[in-house]
Amino acid sequence: MLRCRRMASTYSRSASLQKYLVGQVIHGYEVCRVQPVPDLKLLAVDLRHAGTGSQHLHIDRNDSNNVFCIGFKTNAPDSTGVPHILEHTTLCGSQRYPVHDPFFKMLNRSVANFMNAMTGPDYTFFPFATTNSKDFNNLIEIYLDSTLNPLLTEEDFYQEGWRLEHNNVDDPSSALLFKGVVYNEMKGQVSNNDYFFYNKFQENICPSLQNSGGDPKFITDLAHQDLVDFHARNYHPSNAVTFSYGNLPLNGTLSKLDEFFTGFGKRSSSQGLSSPISLHNDIEVIESGQSDPMLPPEKQVKTSMTWICGPSNDLYNSFLLRIFSNLLLDGQSSVFYKKLIESGLAYEFSVNSGAESMGSKNLLTIGVQGADDINTFRSIVTDTFQGLLKYDFENSKVQAIIHQLELNKKDHKPDFGLQLLYSILPGWLNKTDPIELLKFDELLTNFKEDWRNNGSKIFHDLISKYILKKPCFKFTMTSKAQFNESLKIEEAERLAGKTGNLDETDKKTIFERNLILKDKQSKTEDLSCLPSLKISDIPKIGTFYPLNLDVTNRFMTRLTDTNGISYLRGKKELNNILPFELYQFLPLFADSLTSVGTSMEPFHKIEDEIKLSTGGISYSANVISSPTSLHPRLTFNFSGWSLNSKTDHIPRLWSKLLVETDFRQNKENLRILVKMLASSNLSTVSDSGHSFAKGYAAAQFNVTKAIDESLNGIKQLQLIMKLNKIVEENDDELFEKEMIEPLERIQKLITNNSNLKYFLISDSTSKLNEIKEEIIQKFEINLSKKVDLTTDKIQNYPLLPSYPHTLLSFPFQTYHTSRSLPIDIPYTHAETAALQILTNVMTSTYLHKEIREKNGAYGGGAAYDAVNGTLNYYSYRDPNPLASLDIFKAPTGNITVESVNEAKLRVFQDIDAPVSIRNEGIWNFDNDITDSMRQTRRLALLDVTKQDVDNALEKYILNDSNAVDVVLGPKTDEMNAGWNVIDI
Ligand SMILES: [Zn+2]
């Protein structure tokens, strides 16, 4: 029996404590405190840099996925997005690394599994994660030099922030436009309704936070000098905190930090904590936003009520509020779900709902979207809180929350270090002691005792202290039909304002400046100053995850240290079972199992049971291609995980939900589900428009992708819209026919015990055997033996009609584009390796430059899906989609021995990224990709030569007459004639 080999035996508390002595000075840093946190198997070391006063937190933990981060407190002075634009431009070149964009270049010279930079409301941070120690040291230097000694040139500012540029950069007579990476990134954000609502909410309740990301309206007020000044004020070690995590020695990190910090001196940091507005009376704010074409006109309102609930640095109070918010809003058995959603008053909770810390205060918000009666909403909320004063919260619900928190802590996460960083950094940069933030267990223990002694009184006190008869912030967003047009008009007027008064000299300056920028972007540089890993640093042998397959060929098992948890998965192949017309109902079927309820029990009761006994139960429908033949395979998947002592609940719940869910009896819940899905559609598309465009393109030539499009693409959105219309029109008969009948048919066709397979992960052979028995006895026994087959052969699933150019019309500010082409070879084909490298070379040496830097889109590149046999060029938040499509026509890239090697490093960042225990070996179960296939492909990738890549380009890419273009975004005259325009 394997027992905690990975963690317990190697975590020796006393040995670790001796490693760090309080008062000890290491490279200019004094060890101030050493705090073991046994429940997270870590030791926290708090250090202070004498020269600058900068604080470093080191988390010593036996985890090879090491993390480093430098973070700065950056209060935004206005809404020009200066902290965000600075976050981008610091990474564009520094004193030691004076090359263009060393950050992006390092993506090709490292095996880091995470490199990023992020701007929060009042802080900016730069984290990375890698398992390679040489890489760790390389990247620390890049990160420190980039942030502390950046070049911040004018060209970088124009490229990343904003600029005026001729539509055709070589033609001074063409129209001037606003361009810039952040400018388009933020224009794209505005198209996300949820983001826009939250942002306006934050701007109104906490105006001092400003808009740190930047409001496109004000971004164009920012000047290069403002950026330089902001950097000088804020990116100073005294205004910074640094963080390291993992199993690498602290010494090296501190020595690097000391080297960079020396010479900066000590400064006092004067940046205070932002506070929400003071509420003396109720305040009401109404804003307008974009209307959602996927929702009925009368269901567009989002509205919320917010109370200020004490200081955010009172950690126990903050923790209590989160538990309280969970009881109020989480799941179908929660208080407000019943009152606001189940009652039909609204579609869904608004995104600002729940407890959160904003600046110095905690907030509690109850909000909804899709409500047509704001007054009723408000009186229900107030009456409900009034009623809760006398309500006894059930012990089982509180225990379920505690169970979830404890289970979540035991569950292995490959990015534990990053998660820990995210959880402490915002508070830490706002003066909360990071060591206190790590003592999660103490909070939980206190709460358990508090609950035992005081019961519901804890929550009654919160209501009387902060909510009832206390001032409330009421925020509402209504939709404005011409909202997008008004933004366009505003932009056009602003552009006219900036260009109207330009004289010939100004125009000449702008024209020449952009030529200089273009020239700089196109130049090939000497990158020898940048450190790099070598191909020889990548191990030839990948990680194997040994699995066992039992004699029946049905149970795949994996024995490993799971920290006392078991992970169960099952799947049923549907290839010959479902008729085509039912495919698109599979996602709804899967979702409804965990939201509808059975004939015996309402779902909220089952939900309590799930939370008390497991970490979660889920169902999904998936389609993948065979790794040896590209043949599509449709499966229905189900999973669950729990403590070893509770595994028997999982097959029992699988059976209950799959077999006993009663759609007809619980059709009210089905209606709610449809409304909830409809209300989040538009935000999903605005965030991943390039995926929708890509899917829609590939569905025109690839059967797997055509099925996937029905399950997860535009067709699925259209189905939900159609069903939502039926729900809104209260047409009961039609609802039964269009919704309930297909779900009942699926249920009947799939609840039989043919073609079932399982994948079990646990930490003892006896437990694995026990689970097998439980599955047979508690799940399979309830399935029928009779199987009905269909004549619909999956390989004949209809493709989408093919058009060279399609526009998917959505009311956004920017576009997403995709140009896709078929690559008809399966995963195990020898040439997939060269294609994988090729798309990486094209992206890093050509497309990134053209699409992001020159064309001003937020992102772009080429991606090869070796499993499903498609290749796709894409752009994300793109102001100029037709120019991008032109660029995709001749996407050569600079194929050299060096760029091929860099691409290999980049490909292996993904391949070798640590995986969670629950996902070890998952390719084998989900995709039939064995460890030996992965190893063969690994060697093929390592062996790819420049010649192979040249050949792949010649054979598969040039003369791609089968390519299909799809653009997603607003309609224009240019995309009309000759275009297949799909109105959503
Ligand atoms: Zn950004």
Side-chain angles (χ1 to χ4, degrees):
M1 182 172 171
L2 276 160
R3 248 208 187 289
C4 298
R5 189 183 56 196
R6 187 186 299 259
M7 291 176 173
S9 61
T10 46
Y11 175 73
S12 160
R13 193 166 152 171
S14 58
S16 294
L17 279 169
Q18 280 163 16
K19 238 158 93 178
Y20 312 98
L21 298 172
V22 173
Q24 183 187 5
V25 175
I26 321 167
H27 298 295
Y29 277 87
E30 184 184 341
V31 177
C32 301
R33 279 179 300 173
V34 180
Q35 174 73 48
V37 184
D39 58 303
L40 298 177
K41 301 188 173 77
L42 62 83
L43 184 78
V45 189
D46 173 26
L47 303 109
R48 208 43 90 157
H49 187 243
T52 60
S54 186
Q55 191 179 8
H56 181 80
L57 183 67
H58 177 63
I59 305 289
D60 183 319
R61 193 165 186 261
N62 184 35
D63 183 345
S64 62
N65 198 11
N66 288 272
V67 175
F68 174 82
C69 172
I70 181 163
F72 302 92
K73 171 83 173 141
T74 49
N75 288 0
D78 49 37
S79 291
T80 57
V82 57
H84 183 191
I85 295 171
L86 180 60
E87 172 235 295
H88 278 241
T89 36
T90 47
L91 303 172
C92 288
S94 62
Q95 283 171 17
R96 274 192 207 181
Y97 309 105
V99 297
H100 182 59
D101 219 346
F103 182 81
F104 270 99
K105 304 256 160 46
M106 281 311 286
L107 288 174
N108 305 318
R109 306 167 80 86
S110 144
V111 291
N113 55 74
F114 186 85
M115 279 176 75
N116 215 335
M118 293 164 221
T119 310
D122 54 2
Y123 55 89
T124 310
F125 65 116
F126 302 80
F128 71 80
T130 181
T131 54
N132 181 300
S133 65
K134 189 168 141 198
D135 204 21
F136 188 83
N137 292 329
N138 288 346
L139 288 173
I140 282 194
E141 285 198 25
I142 302 277
Y143 269 56
L144 291 177
D145 203 51
S146 295
T147 51
L148 297 172
N149 310 310
L151 300 176
L152 300 182
T153 66
E154 277 192 65
E155 286 84 19
D156 295 337
F157 170 74
Y158 297 133
Q159 174 184 297
E160 296 297 319
W162 74 276
R163 64 182 180 272
L164 285 170
E165 186 175 294
H166 289 284
N167 195 11
N168 174 359
V169 77
D170 298 311
D171 175 7
S173 67
S174 62
L176 282 168
L177 299 174
F178 287 127
K179 281 198 180 177
V181 174
V182 170
Y183 187 72
N184 280 304
E185 180 187 351
M186 298 319 288
K187 265 178 79 177
Q189 285 281 39
V190 169
S191 298
N192 180 329
N193 259 346
D194 285 345
Y195 170 89
F196 190 69
F197 172 78
Y198 184 83
N199 224 21
K200 287 286 162 196
F201 163 73
Q202 184 186 283
E203 258 177 59
N204 281 290
I205 197 167
C206 198
S208 58
L209 277 179
Q210 303 287 350
N211 182 340
S212 61
D215 182 337
K217 204 163 35 178
F218 301 109
I219 289 177
T220 50
D221 290 339
L222 190 72
H224 173 243
Q225 191 56 42
D226 300 330
L227 188 84
V228 174
D229 294 344
F230 191 79
H231 178 267
R233 273 202 310 278
N234 296 292
Y235 280 33
H236 185 282
S238 303
N239 191 43
V241 296
T242 48
F243 172 92
S244 53
Y245 164 91
N247 63 358
L248 289 176
L250 172 61
N251 229 310
T253 307
L254 295 181
S255 139
K256 284 267 154 59
L257 283 167
D258 187 44
E259 176 193 332
F260 275 92
F261 284 3
T262 300
F264 271 93
K266 201 182 276 185
R267 264 195 210 167
S268 65
S269 173
S270 55
Q271 295 193 66
L273 219 59
S274 300
S275 289
I277 49 175
S278 312
L279 291 179
H280 303 294
N281 298 300
D282 283 10
I283 289 184
E284 173 150 15
V285 175
I286 300 173
E287 292 266 5
S288 55
Q290 172 187 212
S291 75
D292 182 339
M294 289 193 266
L295 291 178
E298 70 282 7
K299 297 288 179 187
Q300 303 274 342
V301 172
K302 298 174 200 270
T303 186
S304 64
M305 299 171 78
T306 303
W307 292 268
I308 293 175
C309 302
S312 53
N313 60 8
D314 178 345
L315 297 185
Y316 184 64
N317 188 57
S318 310
F319 182 76
L320 267 189
L321 275 168
R322 284 183 168 83
I323 302 243
F324 186 44
S325 144
N326 199 308
L327 289 165
L328 296 178
L329 298 161
D330 197 28
Q332 288 197 13
S333 61
S334 66
V335 176
F336 281 110
Y337 182 90
K338 289 184 188 162
K339 299 277 183 185
L340 300 171
I341 310 298
E342 202 176 279
S343 68
L345 186 111
Y347 272 29
E348 172 63 299
F349 294 121
S350 58
V351 284
N352 59 345
S353 293
E356 67 178 313
S357 300
M358 191 176 285
S360 62
K361 295 285 196 288
N362 286 318
L363 307 178
L364 182 73
T365 300
I366 310 293
V368 289
Q369 47 199 58
D372 43 9
D373 185 349
I374 296 175
N375 289 330
T376 310
F377 160 73
R378 287 179 186 162
S379 53
I380 291 178
V381 172
T382 316
D383 292 350
T384 305
F385 275 121
Q386 184 71 48
L388 286 178
L389 271 183
K390 294 192 197 69
Y391 180 75
D392 263 333
F393 287 90
E394 290 158 63
N395 183 46
S396 63
K397 294 214 191 312
V398 173
Q399 295 306 331
I401 296 174
I402 295 173
H403 177 249
Q404 292 297 310
L405 289 171
E406 289 182 331
L407 200 57
N408 196 33
K409 204 173 58 190
K410 283 179 94 76
D411 182 31
H412 169 256
K413 297 170 194 73
D415 59 348
F416 182 85
L418 282 169
Q419 304 257 4
L420 199 66
L421 172 71
Y422 298 153
S423 70
I424 62 175
L425 194 90
W428 183 13
L429 277 167
N430 280 311
K431 308 221 160 49
T432 306
D433 182 357
I435 301 268
E436 290 302 313
L437 289 166
L438 292 171
K439 296 180 186 166
F440 166 79
D441 221 36
E442 233 168 66
L443 292 174
L444 190 57
T445 311
N446 290 348
F447 172 71
K448 284 193 221 167
E449 199 185 310
D450 204 359
W451 171 250
R452 244 192 330 270
N453 297 335
N454 301 309
S456 297
K457 185 173 176 300
I458 313 174
F459 304 120
H460 299 160
D461 288 350
L462 288 178
I463 299 173
S464 337
K465 191 168 172 194
Y466 298 122
I467 296 169
L468 277 180
K469 304 202 178 77
K470 303 292 172 203
C472 168
F473 178 79
K474 299 169 183 167
F475 182 70
T476 301
M477 185 170 279
T478 57
S479 78
K480 190 164 135 189
Q482 300 302 312
F483 182 74
N484 264 306
E485 285 64 27
S486 69
L487 290 182
K488 263 191 212 150
I489 292 167
E490 186 281 325
E491 187 183 50
E493 284 171 359
R494 182 158 35 90
L495 185 66
K498 297 259 182 221
T499 54
N501 298 328
L502 297 176
D503 59 25
E504 285 314 307
T505 332
D506 298 333
K507 284 184 186 159
K508 193 161 172 272
T509 310
I510 290 172
F511 175 67
E512 283 168 1
R513 195 172 72 195
N514 288 320
L515 287 181
I516 294 172
L517 179 61
K518 182 185 168 197
D519 189 49
K520 192 175 166 187
Q521 286 164 339
S522 312
K523 214 167 60 197
T524 336
E525 293 177 297
D526 175 13
L527 300 179
S528 55
C529 65
L530 289 175
S532 180
L533 292 188
K534 297 190 191 70
I535 299 303
S536 56
D537 290 318
I538 301 172
K540 279 220 174 331
I541 310 286
T543 314
F544 284 77
Y545 300 102
L547 304 171
N548 273 311
L549 195 60
D550 77 339
V551 285
T552 65
N553 230 346
R554 298 196 306 134
F555 287 95
M556 194 179 271
T557 55
R558 173 158 168 76
L559 180 64
T560 187
D561 167 23
T562 58
N563 206 15
I565 293 179
S566 296
Y567 303 96
L568 285 65
R569 282 189 178 85
K571 70 172 177 184
K572 179 178 182 66
E573 190 170 315
L574 302 178
N575 274 15
N576 301 314
I577 291 185
L578 281 200
F580 289 159
E581 74 268 18
L582 291 179
Y583 281 24
Q584 60 172 338
F585 286 92
L586 276 169
L588 275 167
F589 178 76
D591 285 344
S592 64
L593 297 183
T594 49
S595 60
V596 168
T598 68
S599 50
M600 310 293 285
E601 275 176 292
F603 186 75
H604 66 85
K605 284 255 181 282
I606 307 174
E607 188 184 56
D608 286 349
E609 194 184 337
I610 293 173
K611 284 185 187 168
L612 263 174
S613 49
T614 75
I617 299 281
S618 65
Y619 298 87
S620 63
N622 297 312
V623 61
I624 44 123
S625 303
S626 153
T628 52
S629 69
L630 279 180
H631 192 77
R633 209 173 45 237
L634 180 66
T635 57
F636 188 70
N637 299 36
F638 36 99
S639 66
W641 60 290
S642 74
L643 291 173
N644 285 345
S645 58
K646 297 186 175 184
T647 51
D648 60 319
H649 291 275
I650 296 171
R652 194 175 52 73
L653 284 160
W654 281 350
S655 162
K656 186 192 287 194
L657 296 171
L658 188 61
V659 181
E660 296 169 32
T661 289
D662 189 329
F663 304 102
R664 211 162 278 270
Q665 184 182 315
N666 300 299
K667 60 185 168 205
E668 267 322 304
N669 280 353
L670 266 186
R671 290 197 171 99
I672 295 169
L673 174 68
V674 169
K675 290 199 275 187
M676 280 188 160
L677 292 169
S679 75
S680 58
N681 270 349
L682 191 66
S683 295
T684 313
V685 180
S686 88
D687 273 354
S688 37
H690 63 309
S691 302
F692 281 92
K694 172 175 80 177
Y696 201 86
Q700 299 176 32
F701 53 73
N702 178 303
V703 178
T704 303
K705 300 307 264 179
I707 299 170
D708 192 49
E709 163 63 25
S710 296
L711 301 182
N712 303 306
I714 299 291
K715 265 181 126 176
Q716 181 64 214
L717 299 183
Q718 287 170 330
L719 172 68
I720 289 168
M721 276 172 71
K722 177 177 127 189
L723 294 170
N724 192 41
K725 191 158 174 279
I726 298 173
V727 169
E728 280 300 329
E729 286 165 359
N730 270 322
D731 190 336
D732 221 31
E733 209 173 305
L734 199 58
F735 189 67
E736 279 191 16
K737 181 167 165 286
E738 298 285 340
M739 175 84 181
I740 295 177
E741 280 173 22
L743 298 186
E744 285 177 340
R745 281 177 67 200
I746 293 179
Q747 189 177 33
K748 189 157 168 282
L749 289 168
I750 74 174
T751 47
N752 58 66
N753 64 4
S754 76
N755 274 328
L756 283 164
K757 288 195 171 157
Y758 304 93
F759 181 34
L760 316 174
I761 304 180
S762 194
D763 54 12
S764 73
T765 310
S766 58
K767 185 71 231 176
L768 287 167
N769 288 331
E770 217 176 287
I771 299 173
K772 278 187 214 172
E773 221 22 63
E774 286 163 359
I775 286 177
I776 293 167
Q777 294 303 327
K778 292 177 196 285
F779 175 60
E780 292 200 337
I781 203 161
N782 298 320
L783 303 176
S784 92
K785 305 235 164 3
K786 187 172 163 294
V787 187
D788 291 320
L789 295 181
T790 168
T791 51
D792 284 347
K793 296 272 171 273
I794 193 165
Q795 64 271 28
N796 300 330
Y797 191 83
L799 298 172
L800 285 185
S802 180
Y803 294 91
H805 312 287
T806 298
L807 172 71
L808 301 169
S809 158
F810 277 87
F812 297 152
Q813 297 293 304
T814 53
Y815 291 88
H816 302 264
T817 66
S818 169
R819 179 182 184 85
S820 295
L821 52 140
I823 305 282
D824 290 322
I825 51 174
Y827 177 87
T828 47
H829 191 285
E831 283 167 354
T832 63
L835 279 158
Q836 195 84 57
I837 300 299
L838 171 63
T839 48
N840 269 279
V841 171
M842 288 194 290
T843 302
S844 63
T845 64
Y846 182 71
L847 293 170
H848 177 80
K849 223 183 256 182
E850 295 296 319
I851 305 290
R852 180 168 157 121
E853 295 177 356
K854 293 190 192 163
N855 204 24
Y858 181 51
Y864 170 49
D865 178 352
V867 174
N868 293 312
T870 64
L871 193 144
N872 145 67
Y873 311 100
Y874 66 94
S875 68
Y876 185 73
R877 293 188 182 162
D878 185 345
N880 210 349
L882 295 177
S884 295
L885 292 179
D886 269 343
I887 293 163
F888 299 152
K889 277 187 192 146
T892 49
N894 183 20
I895 304 170
T896 61
V897 172
E898 195 193 12
S899 66
V900 165
N901 281 340
E902 289 184 351
K904 288 182 189 177
L905 283 171
R906 191 158 182 161
V907 165
F908 277 94
Q909 289 164 6
D910 286 337
I911 293 178
D912 286 344
V915 293
S916 58
I917 286 170
R918 66 165 75 206
N919 286 332
E920 289 175 357
I922 188 71
W923 316 273
N924 225 311
F925 182 69
D926 277 357
N927 296 26
D928 288 337
I929 295 176
T930 62
D931 275 357
S932 112
M933 288 178 193
R934 289 175 55 237
Q935 178 59 30
T936 306
R937 192 153 189 279
R938 181 183 189 92
L939 293 175
L941 284 164
L942 286 169
D943 289 345
V944 166
T945 61
K946 175 185 174 313
Q947 188 61 53
D948 297 335
V949 179
D950 285 332
N951 294 346
L953 178 75
E954 183 73 37
K955 182 167 171 188
Y956 293 99
I957 307 292
L958 304 176
N959 315 315
D960 57 341
S961 56
N962 295 319
V964 168
D965 292 341
V966 174
V967 173
L968 188 151
K971 278 186 197 169
T972 61
D973 295 340
E974 290 158 297
M975 286 178 274
N976 201 352
W979 282 70
N980 168 37
V981 178
I982 307 281
D983 279 304
I984 301 303

